[in-house]
Amino acid sequence: MKKFKKFYIEITSVCNLACSFCPQTKRQAKFIGIEDFTKILDQVQPHTEYIYYHVKGEPLLHPKIDQLLDITHEKGFKVNITTNGTLLAKNRHKLLNKPALRQMNFSLHSFDGHEGSTDKEGYISSVLSFAREAAETSNMLISLRLWNLTKDNATNQERNRNREILEAIEQEFKLDYRIEEKFVRGGGLKIAERIYLNQDHEFEWPDLKEKEDEGKGFCHALRNQAAILVDGTVVPCCLDGEGVINLGNVHDKPFSEIIEDERATRLYDGFSRREVVEELCRKCGYRQRFSM
């Protein structure tokens, strides 16, 4: 029985922003229903303890996210939510004091990544006040993400692009240092108890239009993680936002059988040999971090 450290269940394919770093999905706009969600949890229960509420889409758009959290808790899972944080005001009461909620990741780079964003100060204040309250009243972990650096981060503009946000964090948590002094790219900086800041270069989604690599290397797809899109399509990882590597659909066949079928087995065995059998995987820059 395969066990996964991370299991992604996309609860909606819809997002309220159009960020430059995140291609808009061409899939049908959809929100998962309570009945379908419950059935999926039952199918994946033997395979994981941790559920992530996204592949694409903004989880806080789901009108019944509080019910989804309650059901997930009843089934014995812990939940991680990644959000742009713009809808916190409407959903604060649906998130605080939910025992299922293990961690919230806030993509703070979403504000600058979305052309129509307004009131940056209000946005940052809302996220940081939520982070403080959640950390003080529960065991929830908070990750503040700024994944918008260039790979060399050389220019003054690049070095200063996050200063306004970093200054707000420094003031909110009364830090006695400038964050840049302790910054390590890709590493988490502890800001307060259970609150961390992570900075890294801009994330790139794999795309069939990109150039293929040499087709050698490794990935944790179907080893440490798997994902189910909002329509029930099973994909091997959280980066297949369009369902290109369609392994099957949980509404037609049990998840446990899908991940043992021919296509899933070829992908898994290929990575065991350090061979990349799927075209999308050969066009994934993130996978190259694990190449050996």
Side-chain angles (χ1 to χ4, degrees), residues 34-61:
I34 296 295
E35 184 178 352
D36 283 346
F37 181 75
T38 303
K39 288 179 179 178
I40 288 173
L41 288 182
D42 288 338
Q43 288 196 37
V44 305
Q45 199 157 30
H47 298 281
T48 191
E49 298 174 11
Y50 299 100
I51 302 294
Y52 292 68
Y53 278 1
H54 75 284
V55 174
K56 284 291 186 75
E58 167 52 53
L60 300 194
L61 270 176

Side-chain angles (χ1 to χ4, degrees), residues 75-93:
K75 299 289 184 181
F77 299 96
K78 288 294 185 182
V79 175
N80 298 276
I81 291 178
T82 297
T83 172
N84 57 46
T86 58
L87 303 174
L88 268 181
K90 296 179 180 179
N91 290 280
R92 196 182 184 102
H93 65 289

